[in-house]
Amino acid sequence: MKPAEDEIRRAAQLIRSGKLVAFPTETVYGLGANALDRNAVQRIYEAKGRPASSPLIVHVAEIAMAEALAAEWTAVAQQLAARFWPGPLTLVVPKHSSVPDIVTAGLSAVGLRVPAHPIALRLMQLAKVPVAAPSANRFMQLSPTTAEHVRAGLGDRVDMILDGGPAQVGIESTVVSLTGERPVVLRPGIIELEELEAATQTAWRDAESNIVTEAAAESPGLHPRHYAPRTPFYVLSIGSAPPEGRGCILALPENPSAYAARLYAALHEADKQGWDWIAVEEPPQGAAWTGIRDRLRRATTKL
Ligand code: TXA
Ligand code: MG
C-alpha cells in the first residue's frame, strides 16, 4: 500500500521536529533523521545500537542540494551524479562545514545520495532538509527490504514507518569515494565498476580484488561481518558437503538483479524458521555479481 501525500507530509514534519522516520528507498529501507540536527542524528545511532564510528549516508532530493553539502564538487562528482542520480549510488566527497561531525563519524568526507524511490524523493522535498539515513536495521543485522522487516527489527524505536512495498534493488547502494587522487569503489552494489568508469572517462583505482580490506580503513562502517542473519549462513561451492543438522538451501533467481531483489527477504524468512543453518549455492563470478558476492561474504559464517 502506497502512503498518501498527507502521510508523507506528516513524516516530513516529524523529520523537521527531530524525530526518526523509516522510509523506502529503491535499495533498502532507511532510518532517517534531519542531518543538520545533531540530537536527531544521535537518536539514529541509539535506535540502531550502532557504534559512533560508522558514518551515515545523507539523502537529498536533487544534485544542487548535494553540492551544497560538499566542500568540493568535482567534474567527476557531477558526471556520476548526472548519470546515476536519482539511483543506487552514494558519493563520498569532502564535507561542507554545515554537515555536523556526528553524521560523518568525525571524518572530513560525507556520503551523499539522491534515492530513486518516489516516496523517498517526496519526503526529502517536503522535509526541505538533508536526511541522514543508514539502513533501518539494528547494528550487524540484515538490512530491511520491506516495512515489515523494519517493524520487526526496530519496533517503537522509530517514530513512523512509511510503507512503500518491497525494495526493488534489494542490496545497499554502490559507495564511491572521490576524496583521493582516483575514484574508488568502497562498497560494490548493483552499479558495476565498468558503468562507473564509462560515465567518467577517468582512471579508477582498481579495488576489485581488495574492496573489503582496502575499504575497511577508509570506510569504517564496512565491518567484515555485517548484513548477517542470526542462523549460521553458508555459501556452498559446487560439490561441497552441506553442514550437519537441519538446513535450508535458498532457491534464488538466476538473474543477478532479481537475485539481489530477493536475497535479504529470503534470508529474513529463512531466519525465522528455526533451521540449524541456511545456505546458498555459490553464485557465478561475473562482474554483475560483485555486489551480491560482497554481501554473501559479509553475511556468511566462516567454516
Ligand atoms: O542503499 C543504501 O546505501 C542504504 C539506503 C538507506 O540509502 N543505506 C545504507 O546505509 O546502506 P548504511 O549506513 O547501512 O551504510 C552506509 C555505508 C557506511 O557503512 C560506510 O561504509 C559508507 O556507507 N559511508 C557513509 N559515509 C561515509 C563516509 N563519509 N566515508 C566513507 N564511507 C562512508
Ligand atoms: Mg547498513
Side-chain angles (χ1 to χ4, degrees):
M1 255 243 306
K2 246 185 76 200
E5 172 81 3
D6 275 2
E7 212 181 325
I8 306 176
R9 206 170 280 283
R10 191 159 63 83
Q13 198 46 52
L14 287 172
I15 295 270
R16 291 185 66 80
S17 59
K19 304 284 198 235
L20 300 186
V21 173
F23 61 95
T25 83
E26 77 280 30
T27 57
V28 300
Y29 274 68
L31 178 62
N34 178 356
L36 304 179
D37 178 339
R38 287 176 183 74
N39 295 326
V41 174
Q42 176 60 34
R43 295 193 57 217
I44 294 180
Y45 285 95
E46 285 162 13
K48 278 187 67 97
R50 178 169 172 139
S53 56
S54 288
L56 307 178
I57 295 173
V58 176
H59 299 67
V60 292
E62 54 184 30
I63 296 180
M65 247 176 116
E67 206 175 332
L69 298 174
E72 194 190 343
W73 191 254
T74 60
V76 171
Q78 183 58 31
Q79 285 157 359
L80 290 170
R83 167 72 181 79
F84 296 105
W85 284 355
L89 177 69
T90 295
L91 297 178
V92 174
V93 298
K95 86 171 187 70
H96 188 267
S97 57
S98 60
V99 179
D101 285 334
I102 187 172
V103 172
T104 61
L107 298 174
S108 58
V110 61
L112 300 169
R113 172 161 119 79
V114 177
H117 199 292
I119 294 170
L121 277 178
R122 191 69 188 131
L123 179 64
M124 308 309 144
Q125 285 164 358
L126 293 170
K128 298 189 179 70
V129 289
V131 175
S135 51
N137 52 285
R138 297 275 292 163
F139 179 60
M140 300 284 273
Q141 294 182 1
L142 282 173
S143 288
T145 56
T146 67
E148 193 42 52
H149 296 157
V150 179
R151 220 166 275 129
L154 292 176
D156 55 16
R157 292 164 176 269
V158 44
D159 297 298
M160 182 176 181
I161 302 173
L162 286 170
D163 188 346
Q168 300 290 303
V169 173
I171 61 172
E172 302 82 354
S173 62
T174 301
V175 179
V176 163
S177 171
L178 299 178
T179 61
E181 218 162 285
R182 293 176 172 198
V184 66
V185 174
L186 298 179
R187 179 175 72 183
I190 215 70
I191 300 173
E192 293 170 35
L193 181 58
E194 217 172 85
E195 295 175 79
L196 295 164
E197 285 172 335
T200 58
Q201 294 135 351
T202 192
W204 283 59
R205 229 161 87 198
D206 188 10
E208 198 70 53
S209 56
N210 47 15
I211 284 165
V212 177
T213 44
E214 268 201 47
E218 285 177 40
S219 195
L222 289 176
H223 298 269
R225 186 177 157 83
H226 210 151
Y227 315 105
R230 290 167 222 270
T231 316
F233 176 45
Y234 302 91
V235 174
L236 302 177
S237 47
I238 294 166
S240 73
E244 303 276 303
R246 278 177 61 260
C248 167
I249 299 179
L250 302 179
L252 290 163
E254 281 174 28
N255 164 290
S257 309
Y259 189 111
R262 177 75 191 124
L263 176 62
Y264 288 153
L267 283 170
H268 276 285
E269 285 161 24
D271 211 13
K272 287 191 298 198
Q273 292 168 350
W275 302 102
D276 296 326
W277 51 267
I278 305 169
V280 292
E281 281 161 7
E282 192 170 20
Q285 286 296 334
W289 294 86
T290 307
I292 290 165
R293 299 182 69 87
D294 170 80
R295 299 311 185 277
L296 291 177
R297 197 161 44 234
R298 293 173 208 277
T300 45
T301 307
K302 299 293 168 280
L303 285 164

